[in-house]
Amino acid sequence: MSKDKQKIYFQKSLLFRKEHFGILALLCDGRRYQLDNNYFESLKFLFKKHTINNCPGLSGETGKAFLDYLINKKIVGFEDKKAKPRFIENNYISKDCITFPRTVYWECSRKCNFNCIHCYSSSENILFDGELSLVQVKKMIRELSLRGTEFLSIGGGEPLMYSHIIEVIKYATKYSVSIEISTNASLVTDDYILQLKKAGLIFVQVSLDGASEEIYSKIRRGGKLSLVVENIKKLSKHFVVSTCMVVNKINYGEVEAVIDLSVSCGATYFRLIPFMEVGRASTMQKLQLEKSEFQKIYQMILYKRKEIGTKIYIQLNENLVIPNKKNISWMPENHYGCSAGRTTCGIDPYGNVYPCSFMIFDKLICGNIKDTTLLEIWKESPVLKMLRSISKLKGKCAKCQHLDLCRGGCRAAAYLKKCDIRDADYMCSIK
């Protein structure tokens, strides 16, 4: 039967957001595509009518080619999955950012049972005053859903010590906001796994900063590697698990071993994150890698990807070593920066909004969601406006031949060293 005769259905958990540069097509399994804005009404028609007959914008060869693209990318198919895709059109339009953050990183609490040497929130095992109430958190989630936020990443502290975590996940699932929790995995139990799964959790990130008990315990003080490894194995049976390693002088010799350990635990992704000198790590600059050490790790990862294939997907910011990818294709040509304040933002336990979770300085507070909406902060914050309009960089970035591609890299890293958002990214290994 030809495609124009068959009924066409969307896959589950689809989000279509109209931006100035095109439609963001966001799928719950992590796939993301950019479509032409001319097809926004066509997608709505397909959802309502399940056919391309008389569909605006889908006539002729161009339309059929677009439909083939949707089918090949598994955005649509011919099986009714009772899907209800969301179509979001926000009124706020700026060529310096998307209409509302696509991903929000929320620190639910600073309470934690570990005392990690590099903790950017300086968390510890005590109660803190002034954190967002459950009512305020639910209000935040409703706004994220209304404005088309794809992903809410919940960190801490330790999310599994947050008393409302199950209720928050249930609420976010009800409002079609995908949740990831970032955990040390020490508090995982079989019962907790069942509760998390029933609540609707899909993604779990586990911090794994060493492959030996000796190295792991030096960094993640209060943790026991053997327990965490067993719990990662349990989590991998029920969730999409990413292991995350903050690489530094203590553990950089174990990166390959941590990748192998992650594979054996059933993780889907491995994320390598540079050592950020913020929070508790701000006094430990001596743990920062030399540029040559980071380059060696990168070469090992290139080899490792060939060796292990699709057993695990290794993620890192490759522009730190080889800036061969353009950072944010739609960014104005005379502007520089990263995703902070353009596609993402961070929110601390007290409701303060920052351009990202590593820019947690008083001078970079963009507003507080206790006082106003996140949309209003996203539109009007002087900090975000300043960040989005950077047109000149300092240091080695100023005359770098790769600037047009990397756009200056991580602005948090630039700020950490000299409190100057226009400074060079100190983690960049390009000479």
Side-chain angles (χ1 to χ4, degrees), residues 32 87 97 100 110 132 143 155 175 183 190 269 273 283 312 330 340 356 358 386 392 413 417:
R32 300 176 179 91
F87 298 92
C97 64
F100 195 74
R110 285 181 58 200
L132 292 171
E143 184 181 10
Y175 280 88
T183 174
D190 292 340
Y269 300 95
I273 298 178
T283 60
I312 195 167
W330 48 263
C356 82
F358 292 113
M386 176 272 296
K392 188 176 182 180
K417 284 293 186 182

Side-chain angles (χ1 to χ4, degrees), residues 42 74 77-78 83 98 118 140 142 154 195 200-201 219 228 245 254 262 273 289 297 301 304 313 322 333 369:
S42 304
K74 298 182 179 178
F78 303 107
I98 60 176
H118 60 281
M140 174 186 73
R142 290 196 299 272
I154 304 178
Q195 290 185 60
L201 184 65
I219 298 170
V228 169
M245 183 180 189
E254 292 196 345
S262 301
I273 298 178
L289 290 185
I297 291 173
I301 285 176
K304 201 68 180 173
Y313 298 95
I322 302 178
E333 289 187 6
I369 60 171

